[in-house]
Every structure is written in C-alpha cells, then in structure tokens.
Amino acid sequence: MIWVAATLIAAVAQTGRNAAQAGLTGRIGTIGATAVRFIFGLPFAALALLVLSPFVSLPRLDATVLGWAALGAGAQIAATAFMLLTMRGQSFGVATALMKTEPVTLALIGALILSEPLGPARLGAIGLATLGVVLASGATWSRVAMRPVLTGVAAGALFGLSAIGFRGALLALPEGGFFLRALSVLVLTLALQSAVMLLWLALADRPALRGIRGEWRISLTAGALGAFASLFWFIGFALTPAANVRTLALVEVVFAQMVSGRLFRESTGRLQLAGMALIILGVGWLLAVAA
C-alpha cells in the first residue's frame, strides 16, 4: 500500500502549495501564478533526477510517453488556471471542495481510456467521499455564484484528465521502478509546461513575467512544494488507478479546512464536520475495496 502513503504526503504538500499560490494571484495575475508551480518546480525535480542518474539506468522516453505526458501537462495548465480563478471567487475551502468533484469524472474517464476497473463498490466509495466534500465545503450553495461553480468543476475535470495523461505516460515507460518512472515523467512534464508558460508570458504577458521575478521567494516555495507534491502523486499513479489516488486525496479537504481556519480565519460548522466524516468513511471504503 505504498500508494496510500504517497497520496497522503502529496495531499499535505499540495495544500501548502495551493495556499502559497493563491496569494500570488492578486499580485501577478492568474496566468503568472499558474506558471509559478511549473517554472519554479522544474529545477527541484531536475536536480533530483540528476543526482540519481549516476546510480540507475534512466527509462527511455518514446513518442507514446511524450504524447501521454503532453496530454497531462496541457490539461494541468488549464486546470491550475481554473483553480486560481475559482479561488478568487470563493473561499479557500469552498474552492477546494468544488475542484474535488474530480474523482467521479476521473473514474469514468479512466474506465473508458485506460480500461481501469469500475464496479459498484468503487463507485459507491467515490460517491460517498465526494458527497462529503460538498458538505465539508460549508457553502450556502444558493448564495454561491455560478461562475466559480463552473470554473471549479471545470478545474476538477481537467485535473482528472491530467491524471489520466500522467498515468498513461507512467504505464507506457518500458522499464524502471515506480519511483524512477515517477521522477522521469515529472521532469518531462514540468519541462513541457515550463516551456509553454515561458513562451506565453514572453509573448503575451510581460508584466506577469516581471511580477514572477519580483515574487521569487514565495514562487520558489510554491514551486518546491508543487514539485514535491507532484512526485508523490506520480508515485501513486504508477502503483494504482488514478481514481483511487484522487479519491484518497479527498482528505485534502480536511487539510484545507484546517488551513482556512488558521490562515483565513474561517470557522468549521457541524455540517462541515459531518462532511469530513463522510470523506473519511468513503476513503475507508475505497481502501477496503482496493486492498
């Protein structure tokens, strides 16, 4: 059950990265804040692979791996932009909840594209945990604007599509253990994303590029946390269907509520606590099915 530990580590790191990245949006814009996680994450991932390379034989990257990685990279760029737009329109906890509808669409996409198993028990666990997310958000949904709801759900669906791309790339690698394959695909993905974002910023958003340089300290933190989180996401994807990883990752909503309470001074009510309990029950059910 290495994937369980990897997913929990990734969820904690991602909560910290989201909090750091959310603060950048107002200062350098949505596109600039989106680019930070890739541009500043790449050096950390590349350095780790460089340190490891003298001791292992690196996997060969072919066109199939590149195609899957490009799908995941592109979908993740779009998902991150939608995520930051949602965070501007709603509280941190609500935005996280909206995006965490991802496992439902991910399970369906995974079954169609990668022929991953999809049974009633697994769907039930995913559905229960997702219902918990909706309750844990603490939102009065009649007062939530439609635009943040749409951008949040779109972010979740795109994050799901990116997970499918990354898992496809990991499965397409012909050799290497799960850690080496995860790190190799991570470096490839971040390189693609950094190239796209730098080109876009240079051509269309020079102020954001200058803003990134000015905010390099917090950007460095967000990049490091992003690369660390992504590595452990990829380890999970290498070992089990992506929907299992993303459903277990719904515990991030609990972490997000903690962050909301401490950093953004948002209270936690009874309905939110009930939602967190459903998340835990759904995750426990999933682990029992996956065992």
Side-chain angles (χ1 to χ4, degrees):
M1 302 292 279
I2 296 173
W3 72 270
V4 174
T7 300
L8 294 176
I9 292 170
V12 173
Q14 182 162 292
T15 300
R17 187 214 67 205
N18 286 349
Q21 221 173 346
L24 287 170
T25 308
R27 298 195 292 274
I28 61 176
T30 301
I31 301 300
T34 299
V36 159
R37 66 175 294 186
F38 310 125
I39 297 170
F40 285 85
L42 177 59
F44 292 98
L47 179 61
L49 189 61
L50 182 64
V51 170
L52 194 61
S53 61
F55 308 101
V56 296
S57 177
L58 297 181
R60 295 187 303 274
L61 304 177
D62 58 19
T64 301
V65 176
L66 181 60
W68 282 112
L71 171 64
Q76 192 176 52
I77 289 173
T80 304
F82 277 113
M83 176 191 76
L84 295 174
L85 283 173
T86 306
M87 285 181 174
R88 293 185 69 177
Q90 293 296 325
S91 71
F92 186 75
V94 171
T96 301
L98 287 168
M99 290 178 289
K100 293 307 173 184
T101 54
E102 169 193 353
V104 176
T105 54
L106 178 52
L108 297 174
I109 295 171
L112 290 173
I113 297 180
L114 297 178
S115 300
E116 293 179 338
L118 184 64
R122 190 157 166 262
L123 275 178
I126 292 170
L128 184 63
T130 303
L131 175 61
V133 169
V134 174
L135 296 178
S137 70
T140 303
W141 291 99
S142 60
R143 298 179 183 176
V144 176
M146 182 57 65
R147 182 176 177 180
V149 170
L150 293 176
T151 56
V153 172
L158 285 165
F159 275 125
L161 184 60
S162 72
I164 292 296
F166 299 144
R167 178 157 166 81
L170 290 160
L171 294 177
L173 282 176
E175 69 274 321
F178 63 85
F179 182 86
L180 183 59
R181 285 186 289 130
L183 185 56
S184 299
V185 172
L186 175 61
V187 172
L188 172 62
T189 299
L190 289 175
L192 291 171
Q193 292 167 324
S194 296
V196 170
M197 296 307 298
L198 283 171
L199 180 61
W200 173 263
L201 291 171
L203 294 176
D205 201 347
R206 294 277 180 94
L209 195 57
R210 291 192 294 269
I212 289 173
R213 289 199 298 268
E215 298 287 346
W216 68 268
R217 289 180 180 86
I218 189 66
S219 296
L220 200 63
T221 300
L225 286 170
F228 185 78
S230 293
L231 175 60
F232 282 90
W233 288 133
F234 284 15
I235 289 172
F237 295 153
L239 295 171
T240 193
N244 288 353
V245 173
R246 289 308 202 190
T247 302
L248 176 57
L250 291 178
V251 296
E252 183 189 348
V253 174
V254 180
F255 302 150
Q257 290 295 342
M258 295 177 183
V259 171
S260 294
R262 284 189 170 273
L263 297 184
F264 306 121
R265 302 187 183 281
E266 297 173 1
S267 60
T268 302
R270 293 180 180 178
L271 199 60
Q272 291 169 289
L273 292 173
M276 292 181 202
L278 288 180
I279 292 171
I280 294 170
L281 286 174
V283 165
W285 186 4
L286 175 72
L287 293 177
V289 172

